[in-house]
Amino acid sequence: MRPENPDSAGATAPLLPEFHSPESPSPRCLTSISGAVFNVSTSMVGAGIMSIPATFKVLGVIPGFILILIVALSVEVTVEFLLRYTNSGKAVTYGGLMAESFGKFGSVGLQVCVMVTNLGALIIYLIIIGDVLSGNQSEGTLHLGVLQGWFGIQWWNSRSCALLFVVLFIMLPFLVLRSIESLKHASGVSILLAVMFVAICSVMAIHAMWEGKTQRLRLVPDFARVSLFDLFTTLPVFATGFACHISVHPVRAELARPSDMSSAVRISLVLCVVIYFAVGFFGYLLFGDSIMADMLVNFDQNSDSAIGSLLNDTVRLSYAIHLMMVFPVVNFSLRANVDELFFPRKPVLATDTFRFVSLTCVLLSFVYLVAIAIPNIWYFFQFMGTTTVMCLMFIFPSAIILRDVHGISTRMDKILAVLVIILAVGTSLIAISYNVYKLS
């Protein structure tokens, strides 16, 4: 039950409220560490994977790999911060930890960042899925989608109709599941598709290298082509790619052994480091300096033969289905946070069918309409990567350590927290300023 005191509701109300399933007397649907790994990995491997090769073009292969490791280690440190304070206090959610340390202001600030980040991510997913199925138009060039390439341009494979079908008949059945443990199979499929995408890129790159069609890789930045400030714009891409903090507590709440959460996060990080480096290296090897910010565009340009067209369609469809499987996991935390922010005194969301279904439909409708109205993902991508994602990943966990309401932070913890905050804030300010400068 939720506390009756409205001032403490945000501190104790979980992102994933506990509820009794009618099929089981247990208050939680317990999952294994493998299910936790799938769900955490799925929350990380989303839209950002397509931009990793472009960062290698800016950074070079060696700095790109080093930056992937630095971000992954920073994520491991900050997640450990959250889990340690979760084990030491009464709060069992990210919002609860912020409320313990900074009161109602902290929990509301966290919920707002989660809503902005997750809404932006879901809109990005639908935009990309729409591009794959129905095509888009960039820089005056029309790129046909898979359905339009197969059947020609028809009313039923237009962007609005194709996305409406996906939303109603593919995503909605997953969105009405009330336990994140129920999504572990969809998460497993999404990770498998991401691995398949990397495998196809690798095979194509090795085949091109065998035929001598690949370009020479740059191991370090070429400052004749890029400026020092360009390097800072790559961090938001990696930050968005490793963002998993808001999924940690919902997944932990359903683990048979909550102490396994640290291991699940470490395994997920290792898996994602391998995937990101592989797709970055082989994508850059395959397309060289012609690599686009969205690598799917490069595959679209690689369809001048029957085999090229088949590979193009396979890559794009597998990635679109991957995003369809990621969508429910990201939506899960979004829906719970919206409910906690706007209905703090209501019964837990999973037990109120009307509110659960209504909130699901309202959020899904909003995401669908915005994805139809705004065709470019990078407005959301750059904004989130330099603002709300940085707060959720680095600034908020480090602030909890520095606040140290339980008196358990060591001197090394506080030094790491300060370094993480300086890295996050400094990089974000430079990236935002440089992006504004380029637009002016």
Side-chain angles (χ1 to χ4, degrees), residues 145-159:
V146 173
L147 295 180
Q148 293 175 338
W150 290 352
F151 305 104
I153 300 177
Q154 308 289 340
W155 68 267
W156 53 268
N157 60 26
S158 65
R159 190 183 193 88

Side-chain angles (χ1 to χ4, degrees), residues 14-286:
L15 292 178
L16 174 66
E18 292 187 355
F19 66 97
H20 290 272
S21 169
E23 293 82 17
S24 171
S26 173
R28 294 186 300 178
C29 299
L30 302 182
T31 188
S32 63
I33 190 171
S34 61
V37 169
F38 284 143
N39 284 325
V40 173
S41 300
T42 298
S43 68
M44 287 191 275
V45 184
I49 191 173
M50 285 300 166
S51 295
I52 300 296
T55 65
F56 276 50
K57 180 177 71 172
V58 175
L59 295 168
V61 174
I62 294 176
F65 179 62
I66 292 174
L67 189 55
I68 288 176
L69 290 180
I70 290 174
V71 175
L73 289 173
S74 300
V75 169
E76 198 275 334
V77 167
T78 51
V79 168
E80 200 61 35
F81 286 167
L82 295 179
L83 292 177
R84 191 187 312 168
Y85 268 76
T86 302
N87 295 331
S88 299
K90 296 181 180 180
V92 293
T93 71
Y94 198 168
L97 294 177
M98 289 296 292
E100 278 186 345
S101 298
F102 302 101
K104 188 67 175 178
F105 175 79
S107 63
V108 171
L110 182 280
Q111 288 170 335
V112 170
C113 285
V114 170
M115 285 190 291
V116 171
T117 300
N118 283 26
L119 270 175
L122 296 181
I123 292 168
I124 286 173
Y125 295 168
L126 276 192
I127 291 174
I128 294 176
I129 293 169
D131 290 345
V132 170
L133 298 180
S134 302
N136 64 1
Q137 186 168 352
S138 60
E139 298 180 0
T141 302
L142 177 63
H143 300 279
L144 293 180
V146 173
L147 295 180
Q148 293 175 338
W150 290 352
F151 305 104
I153 300 177
Q154 308 289 340
W155 68 267
W156 53 268
N157 60 26
S158 65
R159 190 183 193 88
S160 57
C161 290
L163 282 181
L164 183 62
F165 179 88
V166 169
V167 163
L168 293 179
F169 297 104
I170 298 179
M171 292 181 176
L172 189 57
F174 288 104
L175 296 181
V176 296
L177 297 176
R178 306 194 188 193
S179 166
I180 199 169
E181 191 272 340
S182 303
L183 299 174
K184 67 180 181 181
H185 299 297
S187 297
V189 171
S190 74
I191 295 300
L192 179 62
L193 290 170
V195 172
M196 186 178 77
F197 170 77
V198 173
I200 293 174
C201 290
S202 305
V203 171
M204 292 178 65
I206 293 172
H207 180 263
M209 184 170 59
W210 179 265
E211 294 187 343
K213 295 181 179 179
T214 56
Q215 299 184 28
R216 183 179 177 182
L217 297 178
R218 282 198 300 273
L219 299 181
V220 295
D222 180 3
F223 289 106
R225 296 171 178 263
V226 299
S227 70
L228 179 64
F229 295 106
D230 283 315
L231 306 184
F232 289 92
T233 63
T234 62
L235 183 59
V237 177
F238 292 119
T240 305
F242 280 101
C244 66
H245 296 64
I246 56 180
S247 298
V248 167
H249 287 92
V251 174
R252 177 184 178 276
E254 295 187 359
L255 266 175
R257 293 173 52 191
S259 58
D260 288 337
M261 194 62 212
S262 294
S263 298
V265 171
R266 291 191 183 103
I267 295 171
S268 300
L269 285 172
V270 171
L271 177 62
C272 290
V273 166
V274 172
I275 290 176
Y276 285 154
F277 179 71
V279 76
F281 178 80
F282 288 111
Y284 182 34
L285 178 64
L286 183 60

Side-chain angles (χ1 to χ4, degrees), residues 71 74-75 78 239 389-399 420-421 424:
V71 175
S74 300
V75 169
T78 51
V389 171
M390 287 294 188
C391 289
L392 294 172
M393 290 181 62
F394 301 132
I395 297 175
F396 289 166
S398 299
V420 169
I421 290 177

